[in-house]
Amino acid sequence: MKRVILVFLKFPEAGRVKTRLASNLGNEKAARAYEQMVCRVLEQAKLARPDVIAVAYDPPLKESEIRGWLHPWLSSFSGETRWIPQSEGDLGCRIDGAVNTVFERVNESSGNALVAVIGTDCVHLESEIYHEAWDVLSSGQDVVFGPTEDGGYYLIGLNCPRPGLFREIPWSTEKTLQASLEAAGKEGLGTHLLPKRSDVDTIHEWRTVESEVDRRRCVFFDRDGVVNQSPGAGYVLSPDDFFLNEGIAEALAWLKARNWLAILVTSQKGVGKGLMTPSDLEAIHRKMQVELAERGAAFDGVYAYTGEATCAHLPKPDPEMILSACESFFIEPRQSWMIGDADRDIEMGKAAGLVGTIRIVGDKPIGIRADHTLTLTAEICSLFDKVL
């Protein structure tokens, strides 16, 4: 069975999202808070390693803008991403419609699915939450609910469409979960409750999570010679030529365990030179992400300068890739680091205003001093223990 996370979200237009927060923060700051919460929810969703992340978006006419907004977070996801416009009607109609679409599409391509439906108001959806939901559903239970402190639910898990669960429910009230459990009982469905969590709707709730989603700390990694074995003067041109360096997976897992982000910033001019296609590069990075995820953690974002005229990024040592990531992922540069094996990596980190730089000594000449120098990538975690 395919494991699916179906995320309901809206385009972050000021005045249309987090309206209760807006009464305290103002429309613009409330919209930014919403974006930060979406970023954190998708970060955790990727860590759960679903086969599919399906995005149920609103409004449907904003699809291109929504895809562009979510691209920095979802482009590094190694599974499938699917896009579903929300239908009209109340929340129940919209959930039912999106759930039906997910099951139809998955059944057409690969058989049955285990679907965890979430919103973006709860930022504490650890991997264990999803795995418990999927495990319970795969064992034969009918429905899984994740209760919230205010009487609603942050997650509903299903192994087939259940339209009766979404009719005549008092949405967004203290009776939402109870009414949903009663509806399940009338349908003769067995239910399982996940650990209780809190939504973020009020200014008090926002203040309790703000530090987790704002001014994030990040370590930026160069790729060839740091993440994977150096190809020398050439390029890694296919997944078969890509081999992770010792200690990289452990370094990313170390960061994830401490709520740090890890983002790849790499120059891959072999694309612009015609030595490989953009699809080849995507396949290499997909292999990288899968292997890293299997060993504990993958990159939260992947930024690549390809040398193509249409490339959205600038070449190193210009700090553009780092600065773009800081804007999209709400990163504080003065609390973040760069790891590279070339002068241009160290220059880029310094130009971006990062607090520190780490050089992995390899086959490239050294002309610029980094804050720390290592001879092996296997030493990264030991350095993290001392300086982060």
Side-chain angles (χ1 to χ4, degrees), residues 2-163:
K2 283 204 170 183
R3 301 168 304 161
V4 182
I5 297 177
L6 171 58
V7 188
F8 274 73
L9 53 78
K10 297 179 180 180
F11 184 71
E13 182 178 344
R16 289 195 71 245
V17 295
K18 307 310 294 180
T19 52
R20 289 176 64 185
L21 271 184
S23 63
N24 297 101
L25 297 178
N27 289 336
E28 295 293 337
K29 289 184 178 179
R32 176 179 168 82
Y34 178 74
E35 290 189 74
Q36 291 172 314
M37 291 170 61
V38 170
C39 179
R40 181 64 169 151
V41 166
L42 292 178
E43 175 190 345
Q44 293 181 313
K46 290 188 296 182
L47 281 173
R49 298 184 60 203
D51 300 296
V52 179
I53 292 179
V55 178
Y57 59 89
D58 180 68
L61 293 178
K62 291 278 190 180
E63 178 179 353
S64 61
E65 292 96 324
I66 291 170
R67 284 180 179 246
W69 165 46
L70 299 180
H71 178 77
W73 308 322
L74 291 177
S75 61
S76 60
F77 176 52
S78 59
E80 301 176 55
T81 303
R82 304 199 178 184
W83 302 89
I84 302 171
Q86 293 184 31
S87 59
E88 296 183 355
D90 69 3
L91 180 57
C93 291
R94 287 181 277 134
I95 295 176
D96 188 37
V99 165
N100 283 329
T101 299
V102 166
F103 278 108
E104 288 172 2
R105 293 183 182 178
V106 172
N107 289 343
E108 286 175 0
S109 63
S110 60
N112 297 328
L114 306 172
V115 180
V117 185
I118 64 168
T120 56
D121 286 340
C122 179
V123 298
H124 295 135
L125 297 183
E126 302 85 359
S127 299
E128 293 77 13
I129 290 287
Y130 294 110
H131 289 296
E132 181 177 343
W134 290 323
D135 288 345
V136 168
L137 291 170
S138 63
S139 69
Q141 189 62 278
D142 298 310
V143 188
V144 175
F145 288 103
T148 55
E149 299 284 353
D150 60 6
Y153 60 81
Y154 61 83
L155 180 152
I156 181 169
L158 304 164
N159 50 27
C160 69
R162 305 284 187 184

Side-chain angles (χ1 to χ4, degrees), residues 254-277:
W254 190 101
L255 294 169
K256 285 287 100 183
R258 293 159 178 81
N259 198 29
W260 283 66
L261 294 166
I263 292 180
L264 189 78
V265 285
T266 179
S267 292
Q268 297 299 324
K269 292 185 286 186
V271 177
K273 293 178 179 179
L275 301 176
M276 59 178 166
T277 66

Side-chain angles (χ1 to χ4, degrees), residues 266-273 281 304-313:
T266 179
S267 292
Q268 297 299 324
K269 292 185 286 186
V271 177
K273 293 178 179 179
L281 184 59
Y305 171 68
T306 61
E308 300 169 287
T310 57
C311 183
H313 301 298

